[in-house]
Amino acid sequence: QVQLVESGGGLVQAGGSLRLSCAASGRTFSSYAMGWFRQAVGKEREFVAAINWSGGRTLYADSVEGRFTISRDNAKSTVYLQMNSLKPEDTAVYYCAADFGVGVHFDTLEYDYWGQGTQVTVSS
């Protein structure tokens, strides 16, 4: 079993930056991939980024490619999402998730555990 706790959300102006963190506990962190998803009000949860167990492979949604960076520190059991050049359409609750499968995935069904989410609001 894995417990995930997100932090770092908040209110930021368009063009600004935020860094989200997700601290994991339970199963050995370096044994599984991690992903970030987001859900805006009235919309379905959507994929943002994913990273494999070593950090050597990443995957991004087209909407955030070049603006967001996912990374992980296995010694700290933490995954990060650096978000730059934020836009109002990035406003959502952001969730981290653990994927015990092989590789990196964008499908929510591939993920086994989820955090409680952190709100990101980008004002125009």
Side-chain angles (χ1 to χ4, degrees):
Q1 193 168 0
V2 171
Q3 294 78 42
L4 303 171
V5 179
E6 302 96 336
S7 61
L11 174 64
V12 64
Q13 289 188 331
S17 298
L18 280 176
R19 188 176 81 156
L20 305 183
S21 300
C22 172
S25 60
R27 181 168 169 170
T28 303
F29 185 67
S30 59
S31 68
Y32 53 89
M34 293 292 297
W36 284 98
F37 292 77
R38 66 187 182 187
Q39 187 166 18
V41 174
K43 295 188 177 182
E44 293 187 353
R45 191 168 299 189
E46 65 174 5
F47 171 76
V48 175
I51 188 166
N52 76 333
W53 67 273
S54 69
R57 184 179 176 190
T58 57
L59 185 66
Y60 294 94
D62 290 345
S63 59
V64 306
E65 181 87 51
R67 299 189 298 123
F68 291 10
T69 303
I70 188 171
S71 62
R72 65 189 295 158
D73 185 338
N74 286 344
K76 296 182 178 180
S77 298
T78 301
V79 63
Y80 304 98
L81 186 68
Q82 178 66 44
M83 305 186 295
N84 298 329
S85 302
L86 283 161
K87 304 175 182 180
E89 51 263 45
D90 294 318
T91 295
V93 177
Y94 283 71
Y95 299 89
C96 65
D99 174 6
F100 292 168
V102 176
V104 289
H105 305 103
F106 58 82
D107 189 340
T108 58
L109 296 177
E110 298 285 350
Y111 289 80
D112 302 278
Y113 291 94
W114 294 81
Q116 83 291 345
T118 185
Q119 176 70 47
V120 171
T121 303
V122 184
S123 63
S124 57

